[in-house]
Amino acid sequence: MTTSDSAQQPPKKAPAKDPWDLPDVSGLVVGVLGGTGPQGKGLAYRLAKAGQKVIIGSRAAERARAAAEELGHGIEGADNAETARRSDVVIVAVPWDGHGKTLESLREELAGKLVVDCVNPLGFDKQGAYGLKPEEGSAAQQAAALLPDSRVTAAFHHLSAVLLQDPEIEEIDTDVMVLGEVRADVEIVQALAGRIPGMRGIFAGRLRNAHQVESLVANLISVNRRYKAHAGLRVTDV
């Protein structure tokens, strides 16, 4: 091969990154807004038990501190603003009806933070649960619109609060679908999910796909009622 021939060869592509090569997140401080509710409390407990530094947030600092003391594992309690300021990653687990107002009030404290929205907009009637569609498209998209200076992702929607809070259960047999616009941010959330025994974090697309992920909880509620279960999800062949 001549020098000119060599110059015409296209550059070799770098090998594809292993999708399971995730970052070390053990040193990150995780804040949980709505950490005194069932889902937030369960996530705080599981992450702290896995060795993560966790701060529970609530509108009332005293309530947050009481919940933190109950859970143990080094969990701290604070009001929502202090929790947001002190955390590297902030999980939003507040009720849907307070979602927008809570995030709007914390815009400054959440600037520059990695925000993980796990809120499920649901309605309930005599026929059971059903998904609501916010004006922005999903709870996660509403969060992104309200927090332009934050890095918003979506995850932890399909977890049973009952299983998360049960100290007799060592492993949670489920996958966590993670959505976001920036792959590096998604991988941090995947890695956090993977710290909880039995869980995997699975990339599931961009935030525009969050609505059907949030709404799927209505189907799981129907499954749980019919089969007296605490159903989760597993993604096969990955």
Side-chain angles (χ1 to χ4, degrees):
M1 181 183 295
T2 66
T3 302
S4 59
D5 290 337
S6 177
Q8 293 173 5
Q9 295 296 315
K12 287 185 178 180
K13 289 184 178 179
K17 183 179 182 293
D18 181 352
W20 297 110
D21 179 15
L22 300 173
D24 177 7
V25 296
S26 59
L28 297 180
V29 177
V30 178
V32 185
L33 304 182
T36 58
Q39 187 181 26
K41 206 171 180 180
L43 278 171
Y45 170 69
R46 288 292 164 176
L47 287 168
K49 190 177 179 183
Q52 210 73 37
K53 175 59 186 173
V54 176
I55 306 171
I56 282 178
S58 176
R59 285 178 296 178
E62 288 183 6
R63 188 179 175 197
R65 284 193 285 268
E69 186 176 347
E70 177 191 339
L71 292 173
H73 296 284
I75 298 172
E76 293 184 46
D79 62 35
N80 282 332
E82 182 183 344
T83 298
R85 280 194 299 268
R86 292 179 55 196
S87 301
D88 302 303
V89 179
V90 179
I91 297 174
V92 181
V94 300
W96 166 240
D97 58 7
H99 182 263
K101 287 184 179 178
T102 300
L103 295 185
E104 196 169 19
S105 70
L106 297 171
R107 182 177 294 167
E108 183 178 339
E109 290 83 358
L110 290 171
K113 307 288 184 177
L114 175 54
V115 174
V116 187
D117 201 296
C118 66
V119 175
N120 303 303
L122 296 177
F124 296 86
D125 60 19
K126 290 181 179 179
Q127 294 181 325
Y130 59 94
L132 303 175
K133 189 155 189 179
E135 184 179 344
E136 298 85 354
S138 64
Q141 287 169 297
Q142 184 183 87
L146 291 172
L147 303 172
D149 298 319
S150 302
R151 296 138 53 208
V152 176
T153 59
F156 300 117
H157 301 92
H158 307 131
L159 305 180
S160 163
V162 173
L163 298 184
L164 287 173
Q165 294 185 78
D166 188 341
E168 299 298 317
I169 294 175
E170 293 296 326
E171 296 189 3
I172 307 292
D173 181 23
T174 194
D175 287 331
V176 173
M177 300 179 79
V178 186
L179 302 96
E181 301 302 317
V182 179
R183 186 63 58 89
D185 292 338
V186 169
E187 289 179 349
I188 289 172
V189 182
Q190 287 180 263
L192 279 174
R195 297 209 73 201
I196 300 173
M199 281 192 197
R200 296 186 305 173
I202 304 286
F203 171 67
R206 294 179 178 269
L207 289 185
R208 68 180 184 179
N209 291 321
H211 169 65
Q212 58 263 36
V213 173
E214 296 169 1
S215 297
L216 189 57
V217 173
N219 301 86
L220 290 178
I221 289 172
S222 297
V223 170
N224 290 338
R225 286 179 174 173
R226 174 62 63 90
Y227 298 100
K228 305 293 187 280
H230 301 293
L233 294 179
R234 276 294 186 201
V235 180
T236 63
D237 201 33
V238 294

